Every structure is written in C-alpha cells, then in structure tokens.
Amino acid sequence: MTGIDFGPIWAHRDQVAAGLLTTIALSAAGLIGALLIGLPIGAAGASRARPLRICAVAYVEAVRNVPLLLHIYVWYLGLAWLDLPASLCAVLGLSIYSGAYAAEIVRTGLLAVPRGQTDAALALGLTGWRTLRLVTVPQAFRIVAPSLANLLSQLIKDSSLASVVAVGELAYQAGAIEADTFRSAEIYFTISLLYLALVSIVSHAVLRLPRPQAAVLRDA
Amino acid sequence: MPEVIARNLPFLAAGLATTLSMAVLTALAGTILAAGIALARHLRIPVLSQGLAAYVGFMQGTPVLVVLLICYIALPAAFGFRTTGYAACTAGFALFLAAYCAEDMRAGLRAVPPSLIEAATALGLSRPKTLRLIVLPLAARVALPALIGQYVRMLKYTSVASVIGVPELTGSALMVNARVFQPFTILGSVALVYFALCLALSLTGRALQRRFAETT
C-alpha cells in the first residue's frame, strides 16, 4: 500500500459519524453509571463508620484491579445466560469499572472540604442533609471537577474496548472501514484525531469552571 | 482450583508468562523513553520539546487500543514492514506508557525547590552534577508513586493485546473458553490473577510512598 489517500475514508464518513455518536453515547452512559455507583460508594468511603469504609475499599480494590476488558467479557461471556445486548454489557462494564474511580474522586472531594465548614453549617442550624447539599457538595464539586473531567476523558478512550463485543463505536467502525478500503493508516489516523478532539473538548470545558483553590483557601 | 483451569494450566501459564514479559518490557522501555521526554521538556530543548509535547498530547488523547492498531496494522502498512503481534503490542504499550510517565516525571522535576538548585550552584556544583546529585533523586521520590500507578494501569492494559491476537493471559483464557465453554469460571479465575498481580504492585507502591514520606 503506497501513498496517502483520505478519499475512501471520506466516502465512509457516515460510518465514522455513526461510530463517533456511539462513542459519545457509550461514554455518557458510562459516566452516568459511574457516578450512580461512585456517589454512594465514595460517600461510604468518606464516612466515619468503619464497616462502611471497609465495604467501600473492598469494592474499589476488587473492581479497579481487574482489567476493563475482563469486566466487559464477564458481562458478555461469563454471564452469557443472561443474554444481555452487547451495548448493555459494554455500558455495565464501563460503569462498574469507572465507578471505582468515581468513588475515589467522590471520597477525596468530600474529605477535602474542611471540617470547620460542616461544623459551622451545623452550628448555624442547618440540618445534616442541607449541610451536605448546600455546603459540602458544592465545595467538593469544585475541588474534584478536574478529576471528573479526567474520568470522562478516560471513559471516552476506554469505550473503544466495547469494540471487542462488536458495539459499533469508533474503533469498531474503523476496523470495518479498514477491512473495506485497506486504507489502514488513514482510518486509524482519522479516529485518533476524533478521540483527541473529544478528549480536548472535555479538558478545555473544565478550565471554564470556577477555580477551586481560591475559594477553599479563602474559606478554610 | 477449578478443574478447567487445572486441565489447561500449562497453556494459561504460558499466557501469564507472555503477559508478564510484555508488562516488564513495556515498563522498562516506557520508563527509559519517558525519562528522555521528561528531561528534554524540562530543559526546554527548542523544537524537540515542542515536538514531544505534541507527542504526549496525542498519546494522552488516544485509546490504547487505537495505539496498538496503529503499531500493528497502520504503520506496517504505511511503511511496508512486517511485525509480530507481540512486538507491535510491546512497542505500542511502551510508546503509550512513556507519554504518561513523562508527565509524572515532569511533575517530579518541577517539585524540586529552586532554592536547592541555587544552593548546589553556590556550593560550586556544575549543572550536570546538580542534576544528577540533587534534582534527579528528589524528583524520583516525588514521581515514584505516580509511576507505580502507571505500571499498574499498564499491566491491566496488556489484556488489550488479546484483541490483536496475542495469546497473553486474557487471549489464552478466551481460547480455552472457545474449547470448553465455561466462561464464568475461566474469566473469573483470570480476573483473580490480574487482581492479585495489580494489588501486589500497588501495595508495593504505597509502601514505597510511606517510606519516602518518612525519610523526606
């Protein structure tokens, strides 16, 4: 194969676009799932009750020390009798795996808010729930926003592994287009630029969020 | 030990050996590359440091699977050479790991207080000597826990080599599963092996971190 020719890739632009949309959908679903898991587990990890903390550590260590690829295969092959659709297996694998990372982010965020803040809120007569909602969570969110953006970038890249169970995301479509056109360098170059674009959008978006340090230093 | 695993143990053990050799080679090559990248960028060598910044940005924005596909399919096709799955994956993993480790090493280099460098200069140490005796040892301490984290991540990522057809641990487990369909037992056992390896590595990292925290 000689010469560089992006013509055949352009001819398959619909397939590339479909892959891109699926990648975005997978990452978004994965992020929602990861947060649904990460919020309670992270809160447990930051709690003062020892049994809760042990459960949180057990989940985080058990899940994040196993490769994501195996998480996806366990849902697709290991639990084959459930006969779940491949895209659901990918979302479950991504959510559970990233949930462990999300839990760590939630935990550090909650622990990073100075104790004086919650004490002050309680002293002012706020209930425990309102303290959490109005004082702890907003400050914790500012502190962990960059880590959350990092988690989403990681999810976008990791969603490429959904291709192993034939979910039609970007990497899978690239393989299909490569098989059609034999333009391997061009197609893989194209999709890496698309991944790079998605990740850059996420990391630039987080720079626009309010800066955390100043607020925390002022309040501490 | 489940019977499927016992019966296919030599095959799975060969897969584990491939995983481990890939991980060790990747860690070695990746760390050496990363040190070069981090130093070149830290010393702001013109042109080279901009080029390396672009390289790091590219790697950090690309999934490891795509890096492997580029090394195994795209580059050989574009430049007309042949490679094996094992070689392509190890090279791809090392190139990928180097970008992340270089960032951690740079953070370590930046963490060395300028006053120490000034003190070394005032004591008459030459620039290379300051770098070797003062900056690098301190930077290494700061960067080491993060580097171990990267090695753990890389060890997990070696499973992606199975997609290219490299019979490492995951790949050989999938083959055993294709022979005797017992996916839950086989995948569960393999997951346990990864779990033990990664946990051991990250606990080592944490122990090192604690020791350094005491001595500094």
Side-chain angles (χ1 to χ4, degrees), chain A residues 130-142:
Chain A
R130 294 195 96 191
T131 304
L132 194 67
R133 192 165 59 87
L134 298 172
V135 178
T136 315
V137 169
Q139 294 190 63
F141 179 74
R142 285 184 174 199

Side-chain angles (χ1 to χ4, degrees), chain A residues 50-131:
Chain A
R50 206 174 135 82
L52 282 180
R53 283 209 308 273
I54 292 173
C55 291
V57 168
Y59 177 85
V60 169
E61 295 299 337
V63 163
R64 74 169 175 190
N65 282 316
V66 173
L68 171 62
L69 195 60
L70 278 176
H71 279 281
I72 295 175
Y73 276 134
V74 163
W75 288 99
Y76 190 71
L77 281 176
L79 301 169
W81 52 272
L82 288 174
D83 202 20
L84 298 173
S87 51
L88 182 59
C89 294
V91 169
L92 282 171
L94 275 171
S95 301
I96 292 171
Y97 180 77
S98 309
Y101 290 92
E104 281 300 276
I105 293 171
V106 169
R107 187 179 66 87
T108 39
L110 290 176
L111 291 177
V113 177
R115 267 296 295 279
Q117 294 284 316
T118 39
D119 289 346
L122 293 172
L124 282 170
L126 267 70
T127 57
W129 171 245
R130 294 195 96 191
T131 304

Side-chain angles (χ1 to χ4, degrees), chain A residues 16-29 94 155-157 159-160 167-172 195 198:
Chain A
V16 174
L20 186 63
L21 283 179
T22 312
T23 289
I24 293 172
L26 270 180
S27 321
L94 275 171
L155 265 163
I156 291 168
K157 289 180 275 173
S159 71
S160 63
V167 176
E169 46 65 71
L170 214 41
Y172 181 83
Y195 277 113
L198 287 179

